Amino acid sequence: MAYLVPSEFVTKMVDAGESKIYMSTRDALIRAYMAGAILALSAVFAVSCSVATGVPLIGALLFPVGFCMLYLLGFDLLTGVFVLTPLALIDKRPGVTLPRVIKHWGIVFTGNFLGALTVAVLMAYIFTFGFHTDGGVLAKTIGTIGEKRTLGYAEYGFAGMVTLFIRGMLCNWMVSTGVVGAMISTTVGGKVIAMWMPVMLFFAMAFEHSVVNMFLFPFGILTGAHFTFVDYLLWNEIPTVLGNLVGGLAFTGLTLYSTHVKTAPKRSFN
């Protein structure tokens, strides 16, 4: 599988973060748009398989296909740039500043949202025959997910918000590990295996992924789910984005960087 040792792939992480900061706005937007669209299609696929089989684990096993596709094609998710770009800032790479990092996050968020929204509209149209039917079992299932993961959190107030935030943290711990997985091997097969495992885990555990939710919730609203766009923003997307940022950076980016790039001096027994 041509495995790279941690000191090698963590350096690649920092290099990747730096290159993203220097990427043109046009390229960053296109890559983010395509990433959001492909991940949304993968979410439709996974939920469809779960509904058809009655076995949610089937959906979790199959969902990573979209994640692998988009990273092999060189596209970008917000959850990934949350981990990579701050490392370039911490490493003091030339020209990498906090305003530029935040600007890049904004571009990728916009692209991911537009891509996921495009697929949400197309899928809603298909499943409802141009909004003439209720969309059937799949639309009802996604709508129920949206209600449980907005109004369901709101029901518990502050505790619900904290629960949502933690689910976002745990999600990007795993998803960003999948992003790192794309750098662990120099072969396609090795990359796919390394990406597949943590992404499958996040989906099976129903953690909160900001980009997946950019598809699920607008699709639910378009097909008549009983929550509003404001509910989605306040009781899912915003806390999920913050949780994704903290979890991915703290549990994946900083831990790998601190022990494999900024390694502490070895102990002396003299």
Side-chain angles (χ1 to χ4, degrees):
M1 288 173 55
Y3 171 73
L4 301 181
V5 298
S7 59
E8 293 176 309
F9 69 71
V10 178
T11 299
K12 287 182 66 176
M13 291 169 62
V14 182
D15 293 341
E18 180 183 12
S19 69
K20 292 182 190 306
I21 296 300
Y22 280 95
M23 190 184 301
S24 71
T25 298
R26 168 189 172 275
D27 289 341
L29 195 60
I30 292 172
R31 295 181 191 191
Y33 180 91
M34 292 306 301
I38 291 173
L39 201 69
L41 284 171
S42 186
V44 178
F45 174 56
V47 175
S48 296
C49 291
S50 296
V51 170
T53 62
V55 182
L57 182 59
I58 298 296
L61 286 168
L62 297 175
F63 172 76
V65 65
F67 184 89
C68 294
M69 285 169 56
L70 72 91
Y71 271 103
L72 289 175
L73 291 170
F75 299 143
D76 280 323
L77 292 173
L78 181 66
T79 43
V81 300
F82 272 165
V83 176
L84 301 178
T85 51
L87 295 185
L89 179 66
I90 294 167
D91 202 55
K92 299 180 180 178
R93 294 295 177 93
V96 180
T97 63
L98 182 59
R100 288 173 180 171
V101 169
I102 294 173
K103 177 184 176 182
H104 187 72
W105 290 350
I107 294 168
V108 174
F109 178 96
T110 301
N112 284 170
F113 185 82
L114 291 175
L117 182 62
T118 298
V119 173
V121 173
L122 294 176
M123 289 296 104
Y125 192 96
I126 289 172
F127 282 104
T128 63
F129 289 89
F131 303 102
H132 287 94
T133 71
D134 62 4
V137 177
L138 181 67
K140 183 178 180 180
T141 300
I142 294 178
T144 301
I145 292 172
E147 291 166 13
K148 288 182 177 178
R149 288 161 66 172
T150 52
L151 304 180
Y153 288 122
E155 181 181 350
Y156 294 95
F158 179 74
M161 187 67 74
V162 174
T163 300
L164 173 55
F165 178 82
I166 293 173
R167 283 182 175 270
M169 289 178 60
L170 295 173
C171 170
N172 208 26
W173 182 7
M174 290 297 97
V175 172
S176 59
T177 301
V179 174
V180 175
M183 304 178 186
I184 284 176
S185 173
T186 57
T187 69
V188 173
K191 289 175 181 289
V192 167
I193 292 170
M195 288 188 281
W196 204 283
M197 296 182 291
V199 174
M200 177 183 65
L201 192 155
F202 116 73
F203 200 86
M205 296 295 290
F207 294 149
E208 298 287 351
H209 189 281
S210 55
V211 183
V212 173
N213 293 353
M214 290 174 186
F215 160 75
L216 291 175
F217 293 83
F219 178 92
I221 292 169
L222 288 169
T223 53
H226 301 295
F227 62 93
T228 67
F229 192 77
V230 173
D231 292 329
Y232 155 60
L233 288 178
L234 294 181
W235 286 101
N236 193 283
E237 190 62 36
I238 294 173
T240 296
V241 166
L242 296 175
N244 287 170
L245 170 61
V246 173
L249 187 56
F251 293 144
T252 303
L254 291 178
T255 51
L256 287 170
Y257 179 81
S258 63
T259 193
H260 292 305
V261 174
K262 297 297 183 181
T263 308
K266 293 184 178 180
R267 289 179 291 179
S268 174
F269 295 101
N270 295 331

